[in-house]
Amino acid sequence: DGGITQSPKYLFRKEGQNVTLSCEQNLNHDAMYWYRQDPGQGLRLIYYSQIVNDFQKGDIAEGYSVSREKKESFPLTVTSAQKNPTAFYLCASRPERGARSEQFFGPGTRLTVL
Amino acid sequence: ILNVEQSPQSLHVQEGDSTNFTCSFPSSNFYALHWYRWETAKSPEALFVMTLNGDEKKKGRISATLNTKEGYSYLYIKGSQPEDSATYLCASVPNTGNQFYFGTGTSLTVIP
């Protein structure tokens, strides 16, 4: 089945450790996105990528890093520099650039930093 | 950063009631407005993509309208059913076309 997978569903890490969240899509979509959700807030954009080997910072990129070496993969690393990393992280993809194409979302990863 | 607001924050209705919610967004540099439905333990799914002032979209019992001049969109659900229970998100896309700015969502609970 075509779709977006994120793993793991739940992730626990100790403070000060870097952690990488996986996002894979087999939809052949060009664009991929990472969002963060906190209680009482809307989805906020961390990073996005329109094409392989290119990515752009979103509104809250500080303390995060990404790579886009393959079209189907867009991993997100939460570094120790991220001051408040505990949150729900959603990955999404879109078939093309432009505002008319909808986003397709993965199931999300809930990260808890102890 | 665009400020997108949704109201109400949450809503409880009886099965069979009709309901509506609002999404407000900056009207300047507007390009598109998206609506998504997010059921518990599932991924958000797209409902509508709207771009033109006066646009109306319909999918079954759910419909949406768009006013780009004043910066708002309404989502209507006619004859609510328990399976309509979900959080409804809207996202505004400015004319750069790349970033989506989401509201905080309206949580709908339909009571059987």
Side-chain angles (χ1 to χ4, degrees):
Chain A
D1 284 12
I4 302 177
T5 57
Q6 292 185 243
S7 62
K9 190 172 182 179
Y10 299 96
L11 191 54
F12 297 87
R13 279 294 181 270
K14 291 183 179 179
E15 194 172 345
Q17 289 181 334
N18 291 357
V19 59
T20 297
L21 280 58
S22 166
C23 178
E24 304 278 331
Q25 54 100 357
N26 60 5
L27 300 167
N28 199 34
H29 286 175
D30 288 317
M32 297 187 74
Y33 301 78
W34 273 107
Y35 292 95
R36 168 181 172 141
Q37 188 192 37
D38 295 281
Q41 297 200 42
L43 299 178
R44 292 184 291 166
L45 183 65
I46 305 172
Y47 268 98
Y48 65 100
S49 169
Q50 303 276 48
I51 197 168
V52 173
N53 291 323
D54 185 54
F55 47 83
Q56 306 295 328
K57 291 182 179 180
D59 298 319
I60 55 166
E62 186 175 348
Y64 299 98
S65 65
V66 293
S67 63
R68 188 87 188 276
E69 296 176 2
K70 298 185 297 182
K71 188 175 185 178
E72 53 273 18
S73 179
F74 191 41
L76 174 74
T77 296
V78 186
T79 75
S80 56
Q82 169 49 233
K83 295 179 182 177
N84 187 17
T86 294
F88 184 71
Y89 292 87
L90 266 179
C91 179
S93 70
R94 229 166 28 128
E96 59 191 45
R97 301 184 190 187
R100 289 182 175 83
S101 63
E102 64 194 61
Q103 294 200 353
F104 292 76
F105 288 88
T109 293
R110 186 167 297 280
L111 172 65
T112 302
V113 175
L114 306 171
Chain B
I1 298 179
L2 262 61
N3 187 28
V4 178
E5 297 184 349
Q6 291 188 248
S7 62
Q9 188 174 2
S10 66
L11 199 53
H12 291 73
V13 301
Q14 294 289 330
E15 182 176 353
D17 287 350
S18 294
T19 187
N20 64 86
F21 352 114
T22 305
C23 174
S24 300
F25 53 89
S27 55
S28 60
N29 301 319
F30 171 84
Y31 193 22
L33 193 284
H34 291 234
W35 280 101
Y36 291 84
R37 175 167 59 197
W38 194 357
E39 296 179 65
T40 302
K42 294 187 177 180
S43 306
E45 291 184 341
L47 285 172
F48 304 114
V49 180
M50 308 172 78
T51 57
L52 299 176
N53 186 44
D55 247 356
E56 292 189 26
K57 301 268 185 175
K58 188 174 181 181
K59 185 182 289 188
R61 293 178 291 98
I62 304 177
S63 60
T65 61
L66 179 67
N67 183 321
T68 61
K69 295 184 188 298
E70 297 182 37
Y72 65 84
S73 175
Y74 293 138
L75 188 79
Y76 300 91
I77 302 179
K78 185 178 178 181
S80 303
Q81 299 297 308
E83 58 265 29
D84 296 328
S85 297
T87 296
Y88 292 82
L89 300 174
C90 69
S92 178
V93 187
N95 55 13
T96 54
N98 296 328
Q99 291 202 39
F100 284 54
Y101 293 89
F102 283 85
T104 54
T106 293
S107 174
L108 173 67
T109 303
V110 181
I111 303 163

